Amino acid sequence: MPRSFLVKKHINSAKKPNYSELECPTVFITPHFYRGLPLSVIPQPEVLSPAAYSPVTVWTTTDFSPISGYPSSLSDTSSKDHSGSESPRSDEDEQMLPKLTDPHGVEAEKFQCGLCSKSYSTYSGLLKHKQLHCDAQTRKSFSCKYCEKEYVSLGALKMHIRTHTLPCVCKICGKAFSRPWLLQGHIRTHTGEKPFSCPHCNRAFADRSNLRAHLQTHSDVKKYQCKNCSKTFSRMSLLHKHEESGCCVAH
DNA sequence: CTGGGGATGGGGCCC
DNA sequence: CGGGCCCCATCCCCA
């Protein structure tokens, strides 16, 4: 269950990539991540250079342009639920534009927002309103240049795009990571540092999540239980293995 | 086959 | 808005 509820849609909801295919030491030249992608979307090697520890802003979105334009990429707003609208037209801008070009419109408050029906006496007033309020709420489509994912915020998109650009490179082995703390965790595999200790057996771990998983082994009551035989497991993956191996075969 | 450790990915939250 | 950290999930490997 991906925790990607910020992601609007997954074109390919398949499982994660086979990590064994990612064991490529030549991350600088041919990032393994892109092997299945068209060349045209592969970032330039310089963004993956060892010096490129800092985030590289090679991301793009379908459009971050100011409100002055009404790019087609925002057309997804037209697919939003307009059931509450009395108008047969589905596009907010379509609703607004006739008012903007009304040759007879000289009366005050003639520029109306198609979404919230607020009216403004000037076009700039309406634009400001849309920019600050309505558009900010409806422009929830930030598309990744490298894949099909879309995000509700620019920050979420930038975060995601780092998984493509992999700007954090290990100086020891050259492996690239999307975020500094991922790299830090990886560096521990080189240094042998294990800052997370088990209070029960003093066993140490390099990763907090692995310590957490380990702590389950000390627990009498395991977290994950088979619905059929009530057997419990310390990890969901073990439960899945158990289910796939035949416990639930009769069902 | 099972259980557990190691390693890693990715989105959310907080500052 | 970005960085750091948290948490969850998953895969691989080995005993």
Side-chain angles (χ1 to χ4, degrees):
Chain A
M1 177 193 70
R3 300 169 63 245
S4 53
F5 40 83
L6 266 184
V7 180
K8 286 185 66 180
K9 63 182 179 183
H10 288 247
I11 298 302
N12 182 5
S13 60
K15 292 185 176 182
K16 287 191 172 186
N18 185 348
Y19 296 119
S20 62
E21 297 176 357
L22 305 183
E23 300 299 329
C24 172
T26 57
V27 288
F28 291 133
I29 297 135
T30 320
H32 47 254
F33 195 94
Y34 305 107
R35 284 187 173 166
L37 296 177
L39 278 178
S40 59
V41 301
I42 298 178
Q44 294 306 304
E46 57 265 29
V47 305
L48 298 166
S49 70
Y53 181 85
S54 301
V56 180
T57 55
V58 297
W59 54 269
T60 63
T61 65
T62 52
D63 185 80
F64 297 139
S65 60
I67 192 64
S68 57
Y70 290 89
S72 59
S73 62
L74 295 180
S75 62
D76 87 311
T77 58
S78 65
S79 63
K80 294 282 188 296
D81 183 12
H82 282 235
S83 57
S85 171
E86 299 281 332
S87 168
R89 283 173 291 210
S90 60
D91 188 275
E92 52 164 308
D93 300 320
E94 201 176 328
Q95 296 177 27
M96 180 189 66
L97 283 176
K99 294 179 180 293
L100 298 178
T101 56
D102 181 5
H104 310 293
V106 291
E107 69 275 17
E109 309 288 294
K110 74 185 185 67
F111 296 105
Q112 186 176 32
C113 175
L115 282 178
C116 66
S117 299
K118 281 189 176 178
S119 296
Y120 296 82
S121 57
T122 63
Y123 178 44
S124 62
L126 174 61
L127 284 185
K128 186 177 249 183
H129 158 76
K130 286 176 67 64
Q131 202 164 6
L132 291 178
H133 298 95
C134 285
D135 267 21
Q137 295 171 11
T138 58
R139 186 188 299 181
K140 293 180 178 177
S141 180
F142 294 94
S143 301
C144 175
K145 177 184 180 179
Y146 304 114
C147 68
E148 304 292 336
K149 285 189 175 179
E150 293 183 8
Y151 294 83
V152 298
S153 72
L154 178 57
L157 173 63
K158 283 183 176 181
M159 183 80 72
H160 163 75
I161 286 186
R162 297 188 68 156
T163 68
H164 293 295
T165 58
L166 301 178
C168 307
V169 180
C170 176
K171 292 181 178 178
I172 300 174
C173 69
K175 194 169 176 65
F177 298 86
S178 59
R179 288 182 254 179
W181 61 266
L182 272 174
L183 174 59
Q184 285 179 355
H186 164 76
I187 288 177
R188 290 195 194 111
T189 68
H190 294 302
T191 64
E193 181 191 5
K194 295 181 177 180
F196 304 100
S197 298
C198 173
H200 303 291
C201 66
N202 286 329
R203 185 169 184 140
F205 298 85
D207 183 83
R208 189 191 306 271
S209 293
N210 289 338
L211 170 60
R212 191 177 297 112
H214 165 78
L215 287 173
Q216 275 286 302
T217 68
H218 290 298
S219 174
D220 291 336
V221 181
K222 305 293 191 283
K223 193 175 178 180
Y224 304 98
Q225 184 176 40
C226 175
K227 292 177 181 176
N228 295 290
C229 68
S230 297
K231 189 175 181 180
T232 59
F233 300 87
S234 59
R235 300 180 184 193
M236 185 183 295
S237 59
L238 294 176
L239 172 59
H240 287 161
K241 278 185 185 178
H242 165 76
E243 291 175 341
E244 292 171 0
S245 65
C247 171
C248 312
V249 70
H251 304 275

